[in-house]
Amino acid sequence: MAEHLASIFGTEKDRVNCPFYFKIGACRHGDRCSRLHNRPTISPTLLLSNMYQRPDMITPGVDAQGQPIDPRKIQEHFEDFYDDIFEELSKFGEIECLNVCDNLADHMIGNVYVQFREEEQAAAALHALQGRFYSGRPIIVEFSPVTDFREATCRQFEENNCNRGGYCNFMHVKLIGRDLRNKLFGRYRRRSRSRSFSPIPHLRSRHRRDGDRDYRRSYRDRDYERSRRTHSRSSTSSRSRTPVREGSEERRARIEQWNREREENQ
């Protein structure tokens, strides 16, 4: 029974816990939901509810006066906000992910999700942000159960074919430009490389020494192999030039012949 309950926890089959709150940290029913919202006491992810106020809040693409807004101005307004909030939140630790919802439903509009590398960093940010204001509005911050944004985001929106539009119950993450992403998140990649690799001069000298050592070793091995082959050939040739040992009768006959030749010479 326990295994069955664990397997359906946070899914549509779970009749006790709210699957939407478990996946996206927000539910359109709020506190009136018939299922439980298990609010975490610690998490690497924070939710800043309704923090981003887009310039076309009332009608997409139109300002409060009913005038159309250039999409480039909307993106510029968003990236200014993203840059501002990233710089403030990065004071508390390394940011793994910063997502801003582009949804229009009340429980998701302008939601900001920030995931830190460590839970302690998120806790420090939560403590520091409580009671503060941004753009004249109070910051509402809490721990979020979301740790895997792949389960929270709308796949159809990523493929540009979500038929629910801005009122979808899954995250429609608003994207930033490549230049801004490289500027903000590139600092962590550079820091990671500097921790992982030694300084270039040290690497070069070490590689040079290793290369010289390998070269000398290979040179010695090559000389040894050459001398071994030469010795082998010389040994073989010398063995082939060694006369065959004669028998005792042949030796006696040869000695008698040497004695006769010596007596004749005398």
Side-chain angles (χ1 to χ4, degrees), residues 48-54 56-58 101-112 166:
L48 291 77
S49 301
N50 311 124
M51 186 174 185
Y52 175 58
Q53 299 291 299
R54 47 191 292 171
D56 53 346
M57 288 284 293
I58 301 175
C101 289
D102 202 26
N103 303 65
L104 297 176
D106 292 341
H107 66 293
M108 295 189 69
I109 187 170
N111 282 1
V112 176

Side-chain angles (χ1 to χ4, degrees), residues 64-122:
Q65 288 74 33
Q67 300 296 323
I69 307 176
D70 188 342
R72 290 174 296 183
K73 294 292 184 182
I74 297 177
Q75 184 66 20
E76 182 181 349
H77 177 274
F78 168 67
E79 292 194 357
D80 287 343
F81 166 82
Y82 194 100
D83 190 4
D84 192 19
I85 194 68
F86 188 99
E87 293 295 344
E88 182 64 25
L89 292 173
S90 63
K91 296 176 182 178
F92 305 102
E94 182 173 341
I95 296 176
E96 292 280 337
C97 188
L98 179 62
N99 289 332
V100 180
C101 289
D102 202 26
N103 303 65
L104 297 176
D106 292 341
H107 66 293
M108 295 189 69
I109 187 170
N111 282 1
V112 176
Y113 294 83
V114 55
Q115 186 175 35
F116 289 92
R117 187 175 183 86
E118 304 292 343
E119 292 179 343
E120 292 76 10
Q121 298 168 347

Side-chain angles (χ1 to χ4, degrees), residues 36-209:
L36 294 178
H37 292 178
N38 293 297
R39 302 182 185 276
T41 57
I42 189 67
S43 171
T45 307
L46 297 180
L47 167 61
L48 291 77
S49 301
N50 311 124
M51 186 174 185
Y52 175 58
Q53 299 291 299
R54 47 191 292 171
D56 53 346
M57 288 284 293
I58 301 175
T59 305
V62 179
D63 62 15
Q65 288 74 33
Q67 300 296 323
I69 307 176
D70 188 342
R72 290 174 296 183
K73 294 292 184 182
I74 297 177
Q75 184 66 20
E76 182 181 349
H77 177 274
F78 168 67
E79 292 194 357
D80 287 343
F81 166 82
Y82 194 100
D83 190 4
D84 192 19
I85 194 68
F86 188 99
E87 293 295 344
E88 182 64 25
L89 292 173
S90 63
K91 296 176 182 178
F92 305 102
E94 182 173 341
I95 296 176
E96 292 280 337
C97 188
L98 179 62
N99 289 332
V100 180
C101 289
D102 202 26
N103 303 65
L104 297 176
D106 292 341
H107 66 293
M108 295 189 69
I109 187 170
N111 282 1
V112 176
Y113 294 83
V114 55
Q115 186 175 35
F116 289 92
R117 187 175 183 86
E118 304 292 343
E119 292 179 343
E120 292 76 10
Q121 298 168 347
L126 175 71
H127 178 75
L129 293 174
Q130 288 177 337
R132 292 181 59 182
F133 289 75
Y134 182 83
S135 189
R137 301 174 62 250
I139 298 176
I140 303 173
V141 57
E142 61 180 313
F143 287 120
S144 173
V146 180
T147 55
D148 187 354
F149 286 97
R150 292 173 299 180
E151 295 294 326
T153 55
C154 176
R155 294 183 179 87
Q156 286 75 24
F157 175 75
E158 294 176 347
E159 298 170 358
N160 297 319
N161 60 1
C162 178
N163 55 15
R164 298 184 180 88
Y167 293 91
C168 179
N169 282 321
F170 288 93
M171 291 184 193
H172 287 189
V173 178
K174 195 168 180 63
L175 301 179
I176 60 174
R178 181 182 301 177
D179 293 340
L180 180 58
R181 177 165 295 277
N182 290 337
K183 170 194 169 186
L184 299 178
F185 290 94
R187 67 186 72 177
Y188 301 131
R189 290 194 293 269
R190 289 192 295 270
R191 189 179 306 165
S192 177
R193 285 197 295 268
S194 65
R195 287 197 299 264
S196 302
F197 295 94
S198 301
I200 295 298
H202 173 69
L203 268 180
R204 287 178 178 172
S205 61
R206 181 166 60 93
H207 288 175
R208 188 182 300 115
R209 290 195 301 270

